Amino acid sequence: PSALAQSQARAHQEQLTKPAGALGELEQLVIRLAGLQGRAQPCIDQCHISIFAADHGIAAAGVSAYPQAVTAQMVANFAAGGAAVSVLARLVGARFDVVNLGTLHRPDPDPRVLDRWLGPGTADFSQQAAMTVEQRDAALLAGAERLAQAQAAGCDLFVAGEMGIGNTSAATALGAVLLERDPEQLAGPGTGIDAQSLGRKVALIRQAIQLHGAGRPDVLEWLRCLGGFEIAAMVGAYLHAGQRGVPVLVDGFISTLAALLAVRLNPALAPWLLYGHCSAEPGHRLLLQALEARPLLALGMRLGEGSGAALALQVVRSACALHNEMATFAGAGVAGPGA
Amino acid sequence: PSALAQSQARAHQEQLTKPAGALGELEQLVIRLAGLQGRAQPCIDQCHISIFAADHGIAAAGVSAYPQAVTAQMVANFAAGGAAVSVLARLVGARFDVVNLGTLHRPDPDPRVLDRWLGPGTADFSQQAAMTVEQRDAALLAGAERLAQAQAAGCDLFVAGEMGIGNTSAATALGAVLLERDPEQLAGPGTGIDAQSLGRKVALIRQAIQLHGAGRPDVLEWLRCLGGFEIAAMVGAYLHAGQRGVPVLVDGFISTLAALLAVRLNPALAPWLLYGHCSAEPGHRLLLQALEARPLLALGMRLGEGSGAALALQVVRSACALHNEMATFAGAGVAGPGA
């Protein structure tokens, strides 16, 4: 981040026709974005949203309200423009792609979906490691590749979304490990399971953490044992964003868990991550706290797909428009305070 | 509000390709808007923002960080497109007008500003009633007139913004009376005064409440004694919105105070009022509580002008787009829960 652009943006804010600080968090946001984009007048001309989709072996254990087939069905729905994030991407004029990293069945070729299929979903992490080393590394690379492509196409802000029946279980397991908390403190209803299924979800996660913890895994090994292809892809995209200097708007619970993994792997990434919203999934708040993140919105959403970030993008754009288009005291002939 | 449209919208939400409730407050918002607009697929094609501006006699007592001249200067800035709300209105494609109800000096004719000038601002309410009966009623009417004009031009959603150096003092005084609280609990820095000026502001408001309370005023009489031309105009616009069935998106502290006055005058208005944001002005939260209002955003803004509502409009539009454009489970061939 550029300290010069940031201080120029701060000085510009003080000249705008409003009481100092009256735009609240929008002022801090645009000043921070100025530093990230290295220009005193930041803007989001082109936002890129990549949706990473994959299935999870743990879903067979009944931790989700929906069957695994929904992952592939939703991949088609994203591509056809009918999913929530598809609608929001259109509304905000964001570029949008969908990456299939491993649905239960290998999909037929579809020109609207990027095929990076690594297998029929992960293995059931309550029994064995979710991924092989090769799968994990290929998923990390697939994410980094999307970021690089988006940047090459001129993206000012990157959003990673996800879809994967069972992935709140994987994210809860990884979150519990990283935050050193009992899974019960993070576990939530995901797509909407009842209390009994929630109890089973927590028990399976506890068991899995014990199983894999015996090998004293590091962060990348935990990701392999408990994660998902789409989670690894998001980690790869975020890490690459930090290296390439592309600001990221993080979405909900799963995205924030991927952000925490990425920041643990490279703490220098942290300044590049902005946070779009706080979801209703109970673990999200804990992850945000650990990242010292202040999300822009809190609307009780719990959908993932990048939907919360796509909504928050409108706040980021508004902050930029205000910064770049408002008149200054001098320009508008408005007296300043105490004048 | 139409209960039929509301229940049709609720049933439609249940068919959309997302877990039930996963869009959180956006779902409640669009269902409520369906009821207000009387159509199962609500939308905001045309939003109208009216900015009401006027000066306040109390400002001469040193309760603001800015000189009174700023009110007229900002009227010109709104019209020229340089103020925060001007920028946001452009960004969201809202229609926009500015009404001068009484700046300190009568302005030269300006085709971009509606002249409804009622006098050189209000009188100092710590010494005498802020307005005459005629001024108050003309201001109420001017607000109702803007609402009627906006509706005639096809407005789907109405926003009232305000500008008036000293108007947080008037709003704090009226809020303290309506909520039966000491002004200290509501008073804040407004445009940015120091602790000493804040103490003076509170003392003047206490004195004014005692002075005018002797006449056992009703709500309209309190409005006359302590209010401002722009506050009365907002009350008039809101009351008329309830009568004419136009949904309103309420802005910040001053707007919410006007909403509370209007709801006290006509409780049937309440369902027509949506709330855009919670400002940093301490009294705002108390007013929102009294109205049982849940604002969409909380970004620490404290600017007024309709700026928070203009920002929140994007959330309302997003909720409508999701509702109207997302695929259904059946249409997209996505399995529902437990399938």
Side-chain angles (χ1 to χ4, degrees), chain A residues 32-71:
Chain A
R32 210 177 134 196
L33 194 60
L36 297 183
Q37 294 191 343
R39 48 186 174 189
Q41 304 226 314
C43 63
I44 313 289
D45 284 330
Q46 224 181 85
C47 174
H48 187 99
I49 305 176
S50 283
I51 310 296
F52 300 104
D55 270 310
H56 288 256
I58 191 74
V63 293
S64 175
Y66 287 80
Q68 278 185 285
V70 166
T71 304

Side-chain angles (χ1 to χ4, degrees), chain A residues 74-171:
Chain A
M74 283 300 295
V75 165
N77 195 26
F78 292 131
V85 73
S86 319
V87 172
L88 291 173
R90 264 199 310 275
L91 185 73
V92 302
R95 294 198 184 186
F96 177 73
D97 58 35
V98 188
V99 188
N100 186 336
L101 290 146
T103 46
L104 192 58
H105 301 287
R106 180 148 203 164
D108 294 331
D110 179 341
R112 303 167 309 175
V113 177
L114 283 161
D115 182 354
R116 296 288 181 276
W117 198 81
L118 301 171
T122 53
D124 178 351
F125 68 62
S126 71
Q127 306 293 328
Q128 61 186 103
M131 294 177 248
T132 65
V133 170
E134 292 70 25
Q135 285 174 322
R136 178 197 63 197
D137 293 348
L140 285 164
L141 205 62
E145 176 206 335
R146 291 324 305 149
L147 189 285
Q149 285 270 354
Q151 189 185 30
C155 134
D156 297 307
L157 186 76
F158 182 81
V159 170
E162 44 55 50
M163 171 71 212
I165 295 298
N167 70 5
T168 63
S169 294

Side-chain angles (χ1 to χ4, degrees), chain A residues 17 19-20 22 24-25 65-66 73 77 82 84 90-91 191 296-297 299-302 311 314 318 322 325-327 333-335 337-338, chain B residues 17 19-20 22 24-25 65-66 73 77 82 84 90-91 191 297 299-302 311 314 318 322 325-327 333-335 337-338:
Chain A
T17 48
E25 294 179 33
Y66 287 80
Q73 291 163 353
N77 195 26
R90 264 199 310 275
L91 185 73
T191 50
L296 294 169
L297 303 176
L299 290 162
M301 297 167 74
R302 50 178 176 78
L311 200 67
Q314 300 174 80
S318 299
L322 288 162
E325 298 176 31
M326 276 181 73
V334 174
Chain B
T17 48
E25 294 179 33
Y66 287 79
Q73 290 163 354
N77 195 27
R90 265 200 309 276
L91 185 73
T191 50
L297 304 175
L299 290 162
M301 296 167 75
R302 50 179 175 78
L311 201 66
Q314 300 175 78
S318 300
L322 288 162
E325 299 176 30
M326 276 181 72
V334 174

Side-chain angles (χ1 to χ4, degrees), chain A:
Chain A
S2 155
L4 176 62
Q6 206 157 329
S7 76
Q8 286 172 332
R10 184 173 290 115
H12 182 66
Q13 274 291 323
E14 285 166 16
Q15 299 306 312
L16 301 178
T17 48
K18 59 178 176 56
L23 287 174
E25 294 179 33
L26 301 189
E27 299 187 13
Q28 300 316 310
L29 177 64
V30 79
I31 289 167
R32 210 177 134 196
L33 194 60
L36 297 183
Q37 294 191 343
R39 48 186 174 189
Q41 304 226 314
C43 63
I44 313 289
D45 284 330
Q46 224 181 85
C47 174
H48 187 99
I49 305 176
S50 283
I51 310 296
F52 300 104
D55 270 310
H56 288 256
I58 191 74
V63 293
S64 175
Y66 287 80
Q68 278 185 285
V70 166
T71 304
Q73 291 163 353
M74 283 300 295
V75 165
N77 195 26
F78 292 131
V85 73
S86 319
V87 172
L88 291 173
R90 264 199 310 275
L91 185 73
V92 302
R95 294 198 184 186
F96 177 73
D97 58 35
V98 188
V99 188
N100 186 336
L101 290 146
T103 46
L104 192 58
H105 301 287
R106 180 148 203 164
D108 294 331
D110 179 341
R112 303 167 309 175
V113 177
L114 283 161
D115 182 354
R116 296 288 181 276
W117 198 81
L118 301 171
T122 53
D124 178 351
F125 68 62
S126 71
Q127 306 293 328
Q128 61 186 103
M131 294 177 248
T132 65
V133 170
E134 292 70 25
Q135 285 174 322
R136 178 197 63 197
D137 293 348
L140 285 164
L141 205 62
E145 176 206 335
R146 291 324 305 149
L147 189 285
Q149 285 270 354
Q151 189 185 30
C155 134
D156 297 307
L157 186 76
F158 182 81
V159 170
E162 44 55 50
M163 171 71 212
I165 295 298
N167 70 5
T168 63
S169 294
T172 299
L174 284 166
V177 165
L178 293 179
L179 302 183
E180 299 179 32
R181 286 175 181 267
D182 188 84
E184 195 167 27
Q185 296 178 266
L186 286 91
T191 50
I193 52 173
D194 60 20
Q196 199 187 337
S197 302
L198 184 57
R200 185 164 57 239
K201 179 171 164 176
V202 168
L204 280 170
I205 292 171
R206 274 199 202 115
Q207 178 188 319
I209 291 173
Q210 206 161 12
L211 172 68
H212 301 294
R216 300 186 170 278
D218 61 11
V219 171
L220 277 176
E221 179 66 3
W222 273 122
L223 171 60
R224 186 180 80 81
C225 291
L226 298 174
F229 301 148
E230 82 285 34
I231 294 174
M234 294 172 96
V235 172
Y238 291 157
L239 285 171
H240 212 55
Q243 281 158 5
R244 304 277 290 245
V246 176
V248 168
L249 189 57
V250 177
D251 185 39
F253 178 52
I254 318 286
S255 307
T256 304
L257 179 274
L260 183 59
L261 285 162
V263 167
R264 290 283 172 95
L265 289 167
N266 178 15
L269 163 64
W272 296 93
L273 304 177
L274 306 169
Y275 293 84
H277 80 125
C278 182
S279 91
E281 193 69 10
H284 197 196
R285 200 172 296 270
L286 296 173
L287 296 175
L288 290 166
Q289 277 169 15
L291 286 157
E292 296 176 30
R294 289 178 47 139
L296 294 169
L297 303 176
L299 290 162
M301 297 167 74
R302 50 178 176 78
L303 180 58
E305 303 182 358
S307 56
L311 200 67
L313 170 62
Q314 300 174 80
V315 175
V316 183
R317 280 232 176 100
S318 299
C320 292
L322 288 162
H323 183 78
N324 297 330
E325 298 176 31
M326 276 181 73
T328 60
F329 283 113
V334 174

